[in-house]
Amino acid sequence: MEVVIKKTADEVGALAADLVGRVVESKPRAVIGLATGSSPLAIYAGLAKRVEAGSLDFTGVRGFALDEYVGIPEDHPQSYASVIRHEVIEPLHMDPALVQVPDGRAVDVEVACREYEQAIVDAGGIDIQILGIGANGHIGFNEPSSSFASRTRIKTLAPKTRADNARFFDSLDDVPTHCVTQGLGTIMHARRLVLVAQGEGKADAIAAAVEGPVAAICPASVLQFHEHATVIIDEAAASKLRLADYYTYTYDNKPAWQL
Ligand code: F6R
């Protein structure tokens, strides 16, 4: 796992946008895994600037969102279908037909989840998966104790996650109790993972994910088993890492051909 510590949240977003941008430059029909929430917003904003400047083209890029709430309509402003439309599809000028979000309203959720998995396979698999991390160590909405082998399925949101996400809703009661999320097994099949985190509120989760034992209590710790995972964080999110200086040393001395 590569850990890159940047001074500010803006620098985190800029570096992660560079990584994603490079994938799209080298593969105009790349398949990208899309996280929602606050963490990746600077990535999408950085990519959108390059699209506006004409130096990056997302029109052939496919997208698969990580997760979706269950129990709110698709046109609810906080459904991830809406968020992906406003924060990703529109600013990056993506083809909406090429972007899928798990269906939180399906009558047969199990079938819809299987079809979502199949759609990812049919698209050739995810080239780069963008991830945030919950304060409890979740990725996607794989809450603590999620199976490392899990696939897209319905999950109950942890009380901590509902409380953290209440800022997007009028009240805590309005936050859905359930979601559909790509599984940890789904995420681990992406060819490359880039996880971003900013702020002190993520410091414990980052320390557990990067330096703790690989254990279901911290779902993000599964990234230690991925052959190409990059964790990009600001100094506040890195503040509980024991080997922070070492990560910075290795990044500063990274061979140019690996950049
Ligand atoms: C959302 C997702 C979640 C968030 C995490 C952090 O699609 O996959 O894992 O990345 O809850 O959320 P923020 O970025 O809002 O702190």
Side-chain angles (χ1 to χ4, degrees):
M1 180 191 293
E2 177 180 44
V3 182
V4 186
I5 302 170
K6 289 286 173 187
K7 275 211 161 9
T8 65
D10 283 350
E11 289 174 76
V12 168
L15 180 62
D18 272 359
L19 292 188
V20 177
R22 253 183 270 159
V23 170
V24 174
E25 274 166 358
S26 67
K27 189 173 178 186
R29 298 191 176 278
V31 182
I32 298 194
L34 302 163
T36 42
S38 307
S39 308
L41 291 179
I43 305 179
Y44 301 137
L47 291 170
K49 267 194 204 147
R50 294 187 52 189
V51 168
E52 288 306 329
S55 65
L56 207 52
D57 180 6
F58 271 78
T59 50
V61 171
R62 289 197 74 108
F64 286 93
L66 266 177
D67 38 26
E68 175 60 292
Y69 290 116
V70 169
I72 55 175
E74 189 178 354
D75 61 0
H76 187 290
Q78 291 308 327
S79 80
Y80 285 164
S82 295
V83 172
I84 290 281
R85 196 160 44 244
H86 293 129
E87 304 292 353
V88 184
I89 297 176
E90 288 167 4
L92 300 187
H93 302 177
M94 291 177 82
D95 177 353
L98 296 181
V99 181
Q100 277 179 253
V101 179
D103 188 352
R105 291 151 298 274
V107 178
D108 192 333
V109 179
E110 268 182 44
V111 169
C113 291
R114 269 203 300 279
E115 287 174 353
Y116 198 70
E117 289 280 329
Q118 192 57 47
I120 294 174
V121 172
D122 292 348
I126 290 174
D127 291 302
I128 185 163
Q129 173 66 61
I130 298 168
L131 295 166
I133 185 170
N136 65 0
H138 71 221
I139 50 175
F141 277 141
N142 295 280
E143 302 285 24
S145 86
S146 290
S147 160
F148 285 170
S150 52
R151 293 289 170 168
T152 304
R153 68 214 183 289
I154 191 163
K155 286 290 284 178
T156 306
L157 290 167
K160 170 72 177 147
T161 303
R162 291 188 66 240
D164 286 347
N165 286 8
R167 69 188 193 279
F168 296 115
F169 292 83
D170 290 339
S171 76
L172 179 59
D173 285 345
D174 291 333
V175 184
T177 51
H178 291 80
C179 64
V180 173
T181 180
Q182 285 188 32
L184 294 173
T186 320
I187 292 168
M188 287 295 282
H189 261 71
R191 291 181 191 92
R192 180 158 195 188
L193 305 179
V194 54
L195 184 149
V196 291
Q198 308 90 349
E200 216 185 323
K202 301 291 175 72
D204 283 322
I206 287 293
V210 173
E211 295 180 339
V214 176
I217 189 81
C218 179
S221 66
V222 73
L223 265 62
Q224 294 179 37
F225 279 134
H226 197 281
E227 62 179 353
H228 205 171
T230 305
V231 172
I232 308 175
I233 49 183
D234 66 4
E235 287 182 344
S239 59
K240 298 203 172 155
L241 288 172
R242 283 182 294 149
L243 298 186
D245 290 347
Y246 168 69
Y247 306 135
T248 298
Y249 168 84
T250 49
Y251 186 69
D252 288 347
N253 289 286
K254 195 169 167 176
W257 56 267
Q258 273 189 342
L259 288 173

